[in-house]
Amino acid sequence: MLVGSQSVAIIGTHLLSAGVASVFGSAAPIFLALFAWIALREPLGLRQVCGIALGFTGLLLMAWLTSGSGGFSPVGAALTLAASGCWAAGSLWARRLRLPADPVVALTTQLVAAATFLVMAAVASGIAGQAELTHLPASAWWALAFLIIASTLVGYGVFLAVNTDVSPLIANTFNYASPVVALLLSAALLGEQLTLPKLFAAGLALSGVALMFRGSSTGRRDPRGESEHVR
């Protein structure tokens, strides 16, 4: 989740416009349903099948609408979708791992391990030697601080807690808001064109995500080991 998903997503988003990348990055719930069906033999209901079809239709429409405007890259789209797949696989796997009971210890262990691996990869690839930290503008440092504090320490910590206590599908409800916010902010701050067809494609993809959430059930074990399902 922290190495495969985030590193691939960073590369993919550099090849796509911010708004388009956010829509392709919202596909994690679609992969969650597919992986649960393939690996865990969890049956897919009609609503989930329709949600998967609707979500992929929206993504394909977004690709088609942006292919001629310079805002779309097949490689970038593939990488962003792969990042969503890595995140979905990690969400399912995390629920089956024996993690430290202390959430702070669990979060710290994951972040330190991921940071160590990524630093080694950056040094081995030569990317680290190309970075000129002394020439970075103040806005870049503020953006980095926001990613570290708000997105990682707070956001990822909350995600881990919800993913463990409730279900991966519910934990991934942030996929509702992030693409919409990114589309609006990319238009307001980056000057990216926000057209009605693009909004329609984004809404179609997010409708598929929402349809699967509405059609999913989450299970929770009580102290006696019985499963309690909440629709």
Side-chain angles (χ1 to χ4, degrees):
M1 292 175 68
L2 293 176
V3 176
S5 176
Q6 298 304 300
S7 59
V8 172
I10 289 173
I11 299 174
T13 52
H14 277 77
L15 302 175
L16 296 170
S17 62
V20 174
S22 67
V23 175
F24 278 88
S26 70
I30 298 175
F31 285 106
L32 274 170
L34 288 175
F35 292 162
W37 172 55
I38 295 172
L40 305 179
R41 298 293 188 269
E42 294 183 3
L44 293 176
L46 177 61
R47 191 186 294 268
Q48 287 180 311
V49 173
C50 292
I52 291 173
L54 191 62
F56 273 115
T57 300
L59 295 178
L60 291 175
L61 183 59
M62 174 66 73
W64 178 72
L65 289 172
T66 57
S67 58
S69 62
F72 178 76
S73 164
V75 175
L79 290 174
T80 309
L81 286 175
S84 294
C86 289
W87 184 273
S91 298
L92 290 175
W93 193 14
R95 288 179 57 81
R96 286 156 180 80
L97 295 176
R98 181 172 295 178
L99 300 176
D102 190 329
V104 176
V105 174
L107 178 63
T108 303
T109 302
Q110 293 182 56
L111 294 180
V112 170
T116 302
F117 185 88
L118 289 174
V119 168
M120 294 172 58
V123 173
S125 64
I127 297 177
Q130 302 174 8
E132 298 181 0
L133 300 181
T134 57
H135 294 83
L136 288 178
S139 58
W141 289 110
W142 280 112
L144 181 61
F146 176 83
L147 289 174
I148 293 173
I149 299 173
S151 180
T152 303
L153 295 180
V154 177
Y156 186 62
V158 172
F159 172 83
L160 286 178
V162 177
N163 190 66
T164 301
D165 294 338
V166 186
S167 76
L169 275 176
I170 300 301
N172 280 275
T173 51
F174 68 88
N175 284 280
Y176 275 128
S178 57
V180 177
V181 173
L183 279 172
L184 297 176
L185 289 180
S186 64
L189 302 179
L190 303 179
E192 294 183 2
Q193 189 176 11
L194 192 62
T195 62
L196 288 178
K198 186 184 290 188
L199 287 174
F200 175 77
L204 200 63
L206 295 178
S207 295
V209 174
L211 192 63
M212 285 190 299
F213 278 126
R214 288 177 60 85
S216 66
S217 60
T218 61
R220 182 178 59 197
R221 296 252 177 212
D222 64 13
R224 297 171 298 177
E226 299 175 352
S227 179
E228 179 184 30
H229 294 278
V230 182
R231 175 62 71 177

